[in-house]
Amino acid sequence: MTYFFAPIVSSLILLASSVAAETTPVPLPVANGVASGSGSGVIYIGGMTDGRVLAFDGDRFRVVTPGDDRVSSVAALRVDPRDGTLWGTAPDVFGRHDPQGAVLRKPSVVFQIDPATGRYLRIIELPAGAFANDLAFDADHNLYVTDSLGGQVLRLSPGDRAFERFVQHDLLGGGGLGAAGIAVAPDGSMYVGTYSAGRLLRIRGGHVETLRTPRPLRNPDGMRALPDGTLLVLEGNATGESGRLLRLKIDGLDAAVQEIAVVEMPLNLTLEESTVVVTDAAARPWLTAFLAGRTAQPPEVSRLRRIALPLEGIMK
């Protein structure tokens, strides 16, 4: 997710690459959550305006689920590597106004769906005030979710019925939207981007540390760790020019940055072998109005961007 609202220069700077992207229109406003990895070649997509989840097989879209009363949006999606079920986050971004004009929001939830039937297997409510954003699994099948308003990462261990606090830290907040994109690397290190403050953090052994990048990152969001230890990060650039797909090579706390592709309004991503699939909300005029507190309708169609990775980024 999403679109809400001076580092030390690294000695490593990778050369930028310009990579062509294949574009597919998506019949959803503000497409955000995206997932693959079930082995079927199907891409799952959700948007920020309701709880629908679509499946795309390369030829057509079908509705996996029309949503649930408790699911107000689909900010992130992940395929469960154990059983192929689909997990997602659902913050109530827009809420509703009461007669006095106050904005009322439903609790954030994390949900699990059987993609074959569209049936909800679990809907887990997060603590009051939490804003469920992105998801990641670790090698032990713990599920982590970023709370963008609470400055924390929550964890659901196998067999548990509720999320527990994994880590809370001032660096995970920072005004506006805090902890957003999350990924767990092969060595067990966790990486989290803070959207408004533009920090990229490493969490390891209970320590939260800020990575040093050659330039500030503008709204770092969706991310994935690659098998070679490099990190894919979407740079949302919410209030300026188009965003970017970046690849970071991390050495200690120094992160060299390689630009892979320009994407107008990237929100989340998934990985299909050597291809990155990015949800592009393609709604910058709407976003500008939304951030300024003005009412505007987002376009009815978003985009999927398929971006081939340079080979050095997928070494096993």
Side-chain angles (χ1 to χ4, degrees):
M1 209 238 164
T2 172
Y3 42 80
F4 274 120
F5 356 17
I8 297 173
V9 176
S10 169
S11 60
L12 296 172
I13 303 178
L14 301 181
L15 295 177
S17 300
S18 178
V19 179
E22 175 189 334
T23 303
T24 302
V26 179
L28 281 174
V30 197
N32 196 337
V34 60
S36 59
S38 62
S40 64
V42 173
I43 302 292
Y44 300 99
I45 311 110
M48 293 306 295
T49 60
D50 58 51
R52 284 177 293 167
V53 174
L54 305 184
F56 180 59
D57 63 7
D59 293 316
R60 65 184 184 88
F61 291 89
R62 65 175 176 86
V63 177
V64 175
T65 175
D68 182 274
D69 287 344
R70 293 166 289 178
V71 178
S72 304
S73 64
V74 182
L77 288 170
R78 294 289 185 278
V79 172
D80 191 320
R82 292 193 303 183
D83 58 16
T85 58
L86 197 60
W87 289 84
T89 57
D92 188 0
V93 176
F94 303 103
R96 63 179 179 84
H97 289 85
D98 67 12
Q100 288 72 43
V103 178
L104 305 177
R105 288 187 170 87
K106 300 176 183 177
S108 282
V109 301
V110 172
F111 60 84
Q112 182 187 24
I113 294 173
D114 177 355
T117 64
R119 183 169 66 91
Y120 284 87
L121 304 176
R122 302 178 74 180
I123 296 180
I124 305 171
E125 188 173 311
L126 296 193
F131 185 101
N133 195 323
D134 208 359
L135 293 168
F137 285 101
D138 68 12
D140 296 322
H141 204 69
N142 296 297
L143 178 64
Y144 300 90
V145 58
T146 50
D147 172 8
S148 297
L149 296 182
Q152 62 182 340
V153 176
L154 304 172
R155 178 176 61 190
L156 182 71
S157 298
D160 285 357
R161 301 178 61 87
F163 281 87
E164 62 179 356
R165 179 179 296 150
F166 174 67
V167 62
Q168 186 172 37
H169 198 281
D170 289 345
L171 288 173
L172 290 164
L177 200 71
I182 183 172
V184 180
D187 68 358
S189 297
M190 177 180 292
Y191 295 96
V192 177
T194 59
Y195 194 80
S196 297
R199 288 187 289 263
L200 189 60
L201 307 172
R202 183 179 68 189
I203 303 173
R204 189 164 63 184
H207 300 287
V208 181
E209 301 172 291
T210 303
L211 296 184
R212 299 183 286 259
T213 53
R215 61 168 176 81
L217 299 185
R218 292 160 291 188
N219 310 112
D221 202 353
M223 60 181 67
R224 286 292 192 283
L226 296 177
D228 67 352
T230 58
L231 191 66
L232 296 175
V233 179
L234 290 178
E235 189 175 28
N237 205 9
T239 58
E241 61 185 27
S242 292
R244 302 285 191 275
L245 170 63
L246 309 175
R247 182 174 58 207
L248 276 62
K249 183 177 180 180
I250 299 167
D251 181 12
L253 289 177
D254 290 316
V257 176
Q258 179 186 23
E259 180 182 307
I260 303 297
V262 174
V263 183
E264 181 186 343
M265 188 179 160
L267 295 184
N268 220 317
L269 78 165
T270 190
L271 192 64
E272 277 197 315
E273 297 182 346
S274 61
T275 299
V276 186
V277 182
V278 178
T279 44
D280 178 0
R284 191 159 293 281
W286 167 81
L287 173 62
T288 300
F290 182 78
L291 290 171
R294 301 192 303 269
T295 300
Q297 285 295 115
E300 290 299 315
V301 176
S302 302
R303 296 188 286 241
L304 278 184
R305 303 283 196 184
R306 290 178 178 266
I307 304 166
L309 276 178
L311 290 178
E312 64 269 23
I314 56 169
M315 298 294 289
K316 295 291 186 183

